[in-house]
Amino acid sequence: MVVNSAQAVADRYAEFSWQQARGESEAHEELTARISQDPDFCDFLGASLPPGNKQQPNLLLAAVRYLDGPHADQGPRGDFAYRTWREWTIRHWDDVRDVMMRRLTQTNEPARCATLLPLLARLPQPLALLEVGASAGLCLYPDRYRYRYDDEPEFGAPDSPVVFPCRTSPGTPVPTGLPRIAWRAGIDLNPLDVTDPDDVRWLQALIWPGSTPEAAERQRRQLGAIEAVRQAPPAPLVRGDLLDELPALAAQAPRDATLVVFHTAVLTYLPLERREEFARVVRSALVDRAGHWVSNEHHSALPWLPGPRPADAHRLTLSVDGRPVALTGQHGQSVEWLGEAPQAG
């Protein structure tokens, strides 16, 4: 049962500040902490929004940034800035709420391709990529980007407008070339179009503000990835529920390619019983053909996974067919290899 109360909203913002924003965005950490201590505003949010995903803190923060609210670039810091942000948000609430009801929190982090590539390059080639929770599909194009692992030379698509740097641990099978992609497709509740300026604006609004160069670099890299994908033949992005659409879409993948069903930081939006059902659907889709299930999620999203839980709550666990092989930076910035992955044939 979801309790739609000021205290429930306050608890949600406090948890977001402590568990998600801390160490990632000082501006969002402070802003959500201030909201959690503002009972009148929490009561306003609880009364104005339906319970569940539409009360996600990140959805509100992105909606205000999307609408060019105050302190959109760096985020409000300090008491005066918070009061300015709060006043603006309430005054423009009809517009803010409209964005929140129309949009979803579907951050597309193409730099995660750098953490997927050591695995994808080792699978039997060519690959058929099927991404669940694809957003704008930027992670479906690992062959359209350039990469730099540690101090090694860059490699990748020669005309790519974006380079993804990535730190690795000893033992990581650092790739030296791109995977061969024979087919690609994605599923999302609300697919975004990289040729639509409004959708691109929403993708940019979802990237958290920060005072470090890395925060601004994430926005530049996303725009570079968008430009690279615009130049490629478009992959089909199917609108619908992942459980409903996955079997039919997987059946379309060519049989002479290794089917890779993958997702990154998606399953946390599903209740546990839906995640368990999703695991059954994926395994069923792969049962009679060559393929693998690649998951890059917070460890808590798949609590049945064996192996170590990351000490850093911001890292993701990269697993193949339910077996963890690496811990990864959630923005694609690092890979810590844990074990062997399937070998390319």
Side-chain angles (χ1 to χ4, degrees), residues 321-343:
D321 303 322
R323 179 168 56 86
V325 295
L327 304 179
T328 69
Q330 65 176 350
H331 301 144
Q333 69 271 41
S334 64
V335 177
E336 179 185 346
W337 203 252
L338 300 175
E340 286 300 311
Q343 296 284 337

Side-chain angles (χ1 to χ4, degrees), residues 104-124:
L104 302 172
T105 51
Q106 48 188 156
T107 304
N108 212 177
E109 182 53 82
R112 288 177 185 151
C113 287
T115 59
L116 296 173
L117 202 65
L119 175 58
L120 297 179
R122 291 167 67 84
L123 297 179

Side-chain angles (χ1 to χ4, degrees), residues 278-290:
F278 171 72
R280 288 191 290 270
V281 170
V282 174
R283 293 186 180 110
S284 176
L286 296 171
V287 71
D288 64 345
R289 64 164 299 151

Side-chain angles (χ1 to χ4, degrees), residues 47-91:
S48 303
L49 295 166
N53 286 338
K54 292 304 178 183
Q55 288 192 9
Q56 292 179 68
N58 199 27
L59 188 58
L60 170 64
L61 305 180
V64 175
R65 297 189 74 211
Y66 171 84
L67 293 169
D68 283 330
H71 312 286
D73 290 338
Q74 297 298 326
R77 305 295 304 277
D79 183 64
F80 176 78
Y82 172 67
R83 285 188 281 113
T84 302
W85 182 91
R86 182 187 191 275
E87 178 186 357
W88 186 96
T89 301
I90 293 174
R91 189 169 68 250

Side-chain angles (χ1 to χ4, degrees), residues 190-207:
N190 183 38
L192 300 179
D193 181 358
V194 295
T195 66
D196 183 338
D198 197 51
D199 281 354
V200 171
R201 183 180 180 86
W202 178 243
L203 285 171
Q204 289 273 284
L206 285 163
I207 296 178

Side-chain angles (χ1 to χ4, degrees), residues 99-293:
V99 172
M100 295 178 70
M101 296 304 294
R102 289 188 294 108
R103 294 290 188 176
L104 302 172
T105 51
Q106 48 188 156
T107 304
N108 212 177
E109 182 53 82
R112 288 177 185 151
C113 287
T115 59
L116 296 173
L117 202 65
L119 175 58
L120 297 179
R122 291 167 67 84
L123 297 179
Q125 306 289 309
L127 306 180
L129 299 182
L130 197 170
E131 184 180 11
V132 175
S135 186
L138 299 181
C139 289
L140 280 167
Y141 294 85
D143 54 337
R144 301 294 298 186
Y145 309 135
R146 294 187 62 76
Y147 302 89
R148 184 176 64 252
Y149 290 92
D150 304 309
D151 296 323
E152 297 297 317
E154 289 180 10
F155 70 92
D159 58 346
S160 178
V162 65
V163 178
F164 297 138
C166 184
R167 304 185 307 274
T168 69
S169 68
T172 300
V174 176
T176 57
L178 298 173
R180 290 186 290 120
I181 314 298
W183 179 91
R184 64 191 106 212
I187 304 169
D188 200 275
L189 285 173
N190 183 38
L192 300 179
D193 181 358
V194 295
T195 66
D196 183 338
D198 197 51
D199 281 354
V200 171
R201 183 180 180 86
W202 178 243
L203 285 171
Q204 289 273 284
L206 285 163
I207 296 178
W208 295 1
S211 56
T212 64
E214 175 61 24
E217 188 61 26
R218 282 186 66 206
Q219 288 195 313
R220 287 193 291 270
R221 287 175 188 154
Q222 187 189 72
L223 289 175
I226 288 169
E227 182 59 29
V229 169
R230 282 175 177 164
Q231 299 169 9
L237 297 178
V238 175
R239 182 185 301 272
D241 181 86
L242 51 90
L243 293 178
D244 297 335
E245 304 297 337
L246 178 59
L249 192 57
Q252 296 178 27
R255 287 276 172 172
D256 57 354
T258 300
L259 175 59
V260 181
V261 179
F262 76 102
H263 47 91
T264 68
V266 168
L267 297 190
T268 53
Y269 296 106
L270 300 179
L272 179 59
E273 62 272 15
R274 294 273 290 168
R275 290 177 240 162
E276 293 170 339
E277 177 63 19
F278 171 72
R280 288 191 290 270
V281 170
V282 174
R283 293 186 180 110
S284 176
L286 296 171
V287 71
D288 64 345
R289 64 164 299 151
H292 295 281
W293 172 23

